[in-house]
Amino acid sequence: MFKGIHHVAIIAKDYEVSKHFYINTLGMKIICETYREQRQSYKLDIQVAEEGTPSQIELFSFPNPPSRPSRPEAAGLRHLCLAVEDIDKAMQEIKARDDRNLIVFEDVRVDEITGERFVFFADPDELPIELKQVGSSW
């Protein structure tokens, strides 16, 4: 019935900082950017991967959004996980693009169930992001 996840919606406290993070630091591509005057809100559609499932991030701005509880972990969406072929290479590329020095990676760990390597870091609004090494066959 389902063909995959179409998009994940993220509301940014500082739209320009988050836009820079996802486009410049993570290297994702802009599909479409719209300003909605009556809502005083931007909506930025971002292409996550150039190949495979066409999943997207919808980045929104709204005036004065409330903070998202992140730690301790709260009920609801826990984190965004991005599949990568080589976790070390991905981390190096992200750090090389991090011109605002925002990225702090936790230690790389190994999933005790799957044996896959993974690492966490956060976006500018402290949304946890996971990189999971899935290899080239994913």
Side-chain angles (χ1 to χ4, degrees):
M1 178 168 71
F2 301 110
K3 296 184 184 224
I5 294 174
H6 182 272
H7 71 269
V8 173
I10 298 171
I11 298 172
K13 282 187 181 178
D14 186 322
Y15 177 76
E16 290 302 326
V17 169
S18 291
K19 177 181 174 182
H20 180 88
F21 176 82
Y22 285 98
I23 302 307
N24 298 97
T25 305
L26 296 186
M28 296 178 182
K29 307 284 186 238
I30 295 174
I31 298 169
C32 180
E33 183 175 34
T34 306
Y35 183 72
R36 302 170 307 170
E37 183 68 40
Q38 68 189 67
R39 289 182 162 188
Q40 298 178 347
S41 170
Y42 278 97
K43 178 182 183 277
L44 179 65
D45 294 324
I46 302 169
Q47 179 180 338
V48 175
E50 295 193 24
E51 298 176 12
T53 305
S55 55
Q56 300 175 17
I57 291 175
E58 291 182 348
L59 183 65
F60 291 93
S61 69
F62 290 106
N64 305 309
S67 294
R68 175 192 181 278
S70 189
R71 293 198 185 0
E73 292 187 16
L77 181 65
R78 184 173 178 184
H79 64 268
L80 172 65
C81 181
L82 302 170
V84 298
E85 187 172 328
D86 182 325
I87 201 166
D88 298 309
K89 182 178 177 186
M91 291 170 65
Q92 289 172 353
E93 288 180 20
I94 291 168
K95 281 304 279 181
R97 290 190 198 114
D98 185 16
D99 61 343
R100 296 184 179 179
N101 207 25
L102 296 174
I103 303 293
V104 177
F105 288 107
E106 293 180 2
D107 293 336
V108 175
R109 295 180 271 169
V110 176
D111 186 306
E112 60 191 38
I113 297 169
T114 67
E116 295 168 322
R117 297 174 70 216
F118 66 97
V119 67
F120 279 93
F121 62 104
D123 84 350
D125 291 311
E126 296 299 315
L127 172 68
I129 299 175
E130 177 185 1
L131 297 179
K132 180 167 259 207
Q133 183 168 302
V134 296
S136 60
S137 62
W138 194 73

